Amino acid sequence: MKTKQRLDRAYKQARRISFSNEDKLVFFSDCHRGDKSFADDFARNENIYYHALKHYYNEGFTYCELGDGDELWENTSFESILRAHKNVYRLLQKFHFENRLHLIWGNHDMVYRDKNYVKKHLSTYFDPKDGREEVLFKDLEYHEAIVLKHQDTHQELFLCHGHQADWMNYHGWRFNRFLVRVLWKPLQIFGISDPTSPAKNYKELIKVERRIKKWITDNSNLLTIVGHTHRPRFPEPGDIAFFNDGSCVHPRSITGLEVDSGAISLIKWHIATSESGTLQVVRELLEGPTALTAYQV
């Protein structure tokens, strides 16, 4: 199956959600939440991510995670990740209870395409303090793709992880997972990167982006938001409507996309020093806001 067929299928089978200019949406991907071991890239930015997530919850945003939220290649179970980052999942739980949480699976958490796996591992968890099962994400659903449709302009925003344009990470993900668990995870301690990741392989990154752009142009410049390559992308109106929210494992920062009042922005959260010398987590606007309709054909 080629990139076009995989993306066509994802688009056709995507969950459809209506939105308006009154809605506020934030898009993150590639958190790669791990178990706080030396190989957990998310741990370095956990405080930044938690602060940003709390801001979005308090401001009434809907949280959309576009794949690779949990690192289930390096880690064999979700339970170890939950124990390591329980504060994060407690906050995500609040989004879920208020119907403000939409999740997409990527290649590193592709096991979530199995509804029975999600129900078994994410619905409840064992709390050793009380000695009983507690509710975590009841009736949670993961999707391969989501289409957001504006209720007034009828403009569509196509959301997916982006590994549909990466044959080895889509069809060969089990083999890549084996390599990461057995070979590359132990070598991370010596600073050796995982070559199966397009984020660390520039030539492969360019190929993946080129394939997605080709699909977008073949589909009337459909506004498309992905992750996977970890490289933030924010096109100018008139260019190919290819957006990438980046990742949450950049060195000392996380990037994402916001949609607010019918406009889209690329943002970065990072730690900065105030005038008094104290450290604080701050939001920085990188691109936009640009009206979504500026990308409408």
Side-chain angles (χ1 to χ4, degrees):
M1 187 181 293
K2 296 182 179 180
T3 293
K4 181 183 183 310
Q5 294 171 305
R6 290 191 291 270
L7 286 171
D8 282 347
R9 184 180 63 180
Y11 173 75
K12 291 175 183 177
Q13 298 179 355
R15 181 185 178 188
R16 261 64 182 177
I17 300 173
S18 176
F19 78 105
S20 71
N21 286 355
E22 302 300 315
D23 293 306
K24 295 189 285 187
L25 307 155
V26 59
F27 306 93
F28 283 129
S29 74
D30 299 276
C31 301
H32 294 278
R33 292 179 291 263
D35 61 0
K36 282 192 176 175
S37 67
F38 65 87
D40 185 358
D41 294 328
F42 173 76
R44 295 192 298 268
N45 291 335
E46 180 180 11
N47 290 331
I48 300 174
Y49 175 85
Y50 183 79
H51 179 86
L53 199 63
K54 194 170 183 180
H55 163 82
Y56 291 121
Y57 176 77
N58 291 334
E59 293 298 317
F61 277 75
T62 292
Y63 178 75
C64 304
E65 192 167 87
L66 310 187
D68 286 4
D70 297 333
E71 179 48 69
L72 290 169
W73 280 11
E74 294 178 354
N75 304 283
T76 58
S77 71
F78 169 74
E79 287 74 16
S80 63
I81 301 173
L82 173 63
R83 288 195 299 269
H85 305 292
K86 188 172 286 188
N87 62 326
V88 168
Y89 290 100
R90 286 290 192 189
L91 192 47
L92 290 172
Q93 183 188 57
K94 290 183 177 181
F95 279 96
H96 178 57
F97 286 166
E98 297 179 18
N99 198 31
R100 290 197 278 145
L101 180 68
H102 301 302
L103 302 175
I104 287 173
W105 45 262
N107 50 304
H108 280 252
D109 51 11
M110 208 155 173
V111 291
Y112 290 156
R113 64 181 179 177
D114 182 346
K115 294 181 180 180
N116 291 327
Y117 185 97
V118 173
K119 183 177 181 180
K120 178 179 179 181
H121 294 278
L122 277 69
S123 294
T124 62
Y125 72 97
F126 180 76
D127 189 341
K129 292 182 181 179
D130 299 332
R132 63 185 182 187
E133 290 287 317
E134 300 285 354
V135 172
L136 184 59
F137 296 117
K138 186 179 180 181
D139 300 323
L140 181 67
E141 292 185 8
Y142 271 80
H143 305 277
E144 180 175 3
I146 293 172
V147 172
L148 301 174
K149 187 170 184 177
H150 198 283
Q151 64 183 31
D152 296 322
T153 67
H154 305 296
Q155 182 180 15
E156 291 186 340
L157 281 61
F158 176 51
L159 319 176
C160 66
H161 182 57
H163 67 306
Q164 289 82 0
D166 185 345
W167 189 93
M168 194 61 191
N169 275 306
Y170 192 91
H171 293 292
W173 67 274
R174 288 185 176 87
F175 178 71
N176 280 351
R177 181 180 63 180
F178 171 79
L179 290 179
V180 167
R181 287 182 181 176
V182 175
L183 183 59
W184 301 115
K185 180 180 179 180
L187 290 177
Q188 274 189 276
I189 196 171
F190 300 108
I192 299 176
S193 299
D194 167 21
T196 66
S197 169
K200 299 171 184 177
N201 184 331
Y202 186 74
K203 289 184 178 180
E204 186 59 30
L205 179 154
I206 295 300
K207 291 179 182 178
V208 169
E209 291 186 349
R210 186 183 298 124
R211 293 171 192 139
I212 296 175
K213 288 180 178 179
K214 174 66 165 56
W215 185 85
I216 293 171
T217 57
D218 288 345
N219 286 270
S220 303
N221 205 32
L222 175 65
L223 195 156
T224 300
I225 304 175
V226 302
H228 189 52
T229 65
H230 296 200
R231 185 163 79 147
R233 309 302 291 165
F234 193 93
E236 293 291 331
D239 292 341
I240 299 173
F242 170 69
F243 290 81
N244 192 310
D245 58 15
S247 83
C248 294
V249 292
H250 298 296
R252 298 172 296 280
S253 69
I254 67 175
T255 58
L257 292 163
E258 296 174 0
V259 169
D260 189 1
S261 302
I264 189 167
S265 304
L266 176 67
I267 49 87
K268 177 173 77 170
W269 290 84
H270 61 103
I271 295 176
T273 307
S274 68
E275 291 294 330
S276 63
T278 58
L279 297 179
Q280 56 186 351
V281 179
V282 298
R283 173 188 173 277
E284 180 181 348
L285 179 65
L286 299 179
E287 299 282 354
T290 303
L292 291 170
T293 53
Y295 301 96
Q296 195 168 18
V297 178

